[in-house]
Amino acid sequence: DAGVIQSPRHEVTEMGQEVTLRCKPISGHDYLFWYRQTMMRGLELLIYFNNNVPIDDSGMPEDRFSAKMPNASFSTLKIQPSEPRDSAVYFCASSFRRPGDNSPLHFGNGTRLTVT
Amino acid sequence: AQSVTQPDIHITVSEGASLELRCNYSYGATPYLFWYVQSPGQGLQLLLKYFSGDTLVQGIKGFEAEFKRSQSSFNLRKPSVHWSDAAEYFCAVGGGYTGTASKLTFGTGTRLQVTL
């Protein structure tokens, strides 16, 4: 399996622009997670899906952030409008079952977002 | 609320020396504990996990960790470090409670540097 695939690897954009990050989970995995990693806050869970349905979005920082999972093989995280404080590495991860059910998280290589 | 503390931000060891990375957790019941490793520009990879049973767990790349309930700790160890072990290491906690089994909480990470 190719693993979790994220695109783009790097994104540089200007403040106010819309940014869309993409993720393809591992085939057969029922859970998909979006994390954000910064030096100040470490790894933060933004939102997760189960069977394409958003279950918990309490980590989404603001209404400027939205995530969708239109099918089992694709998810997007959108920031509109983007701000410099959104600069971070965004990770997508998937798991076969809940991580707490002895099902490890598989992470993509991340998207490094820079908002100028 | 669950939490993880990794008290060491940065550790330097010589190649061939032993290693111990500290992790303390807070969780209201029996936790599920994980160690992940992140190489530069990469996502996180699972090293090992503890769910139940033997408190000493073995992982990949020669790593092991010991769960000590009385100390709320899950320290990662390796008898002899290799230069390729230089990376950032994250401890994470999750649990069996509905709603938390899917939400792993990560520590802030320990960056390991290996000198030759």
Side-chain angles (χ1 to χ4, degrees), chain B residues 10-21:
Chain B
H10 187 200
I11 284 183
T12 301
V13 299
S14 300
E15 188 175 39
S18 63
L19 171 71
E20 182 168 26
L21 302 183

Side-chain angles (χ1 to χ4, degrees), chain A residues 26-44:
Chain A
I26 293 174
S27 177
H29 281 193
D30 289 339
Y31 285 80
L32 184 139
F33 304 80
W34 283 100
Y35 282 87
R36 178 172 67 176
Q37 185 179 39
T38 61
M39 289 291 292
M40 293 297 295
R41 303 170 74 94
L43 267 166
E44 303 173 277

Side-chain angles (χ1 to χ4, degrees), chain A residues 9 33 37 56 91 100 102 108, chain B residues 32 41 43 49 51 101-103:
Chain A
R9 286 300 309 273
F33 304 80
Q37 185 179 39
D56 187 338
F91 286 103
N102 199 8
Chain B
Y32 298 153
K49 58 186 185 293
F51 284 85
S102 300
K103 297 175 69 171

Side-chain angles (χ1 to χ4, degrees), chain A residues 16-91:
Chain A
Q17 297 298 306
E18 177 180 297
V19 175
T20 300
L21 312 181
R22 297 172 176 80
C23 175
K24 176 179 168 55
I26 293 174
S27 177
H29 281 193
D30 289 339
Y31 285 80
L32 184 139
F33 304 80
W34 283 100
Y35 282 87
R36 178 172 67 176
Q37 185 179 39
T38 61
M39 289 291 292
M40 293 297 295
R41 303 170 74 94
L43 267 166
E44 303 173 277
L45 176 63
L46 301 178
I47 185 172
Y48 78 91
F49 295 82
N50 176 216
N51 291 324
N52 313 336
V53 176
I55 302 301
D56 187 338
D57 65 354
S58 60
M60 296 285 261
E62 300 172 32
D63 291 344
R64 298 184 295 106
F65 286 69
S66 63
K68 294 181 179 179
M69 193 166 184
N71 56 63
S73 59
F74 185 65
S75 176
T76 59
L77 178 68
K78 185 177 294 186
I79 308 172
Q80 165 65 23
S82 58
E83 296 183 4
R85 60 194 168 118
D86 301 331
S87 298
V89 180
Y90 291 80
F91 286 103

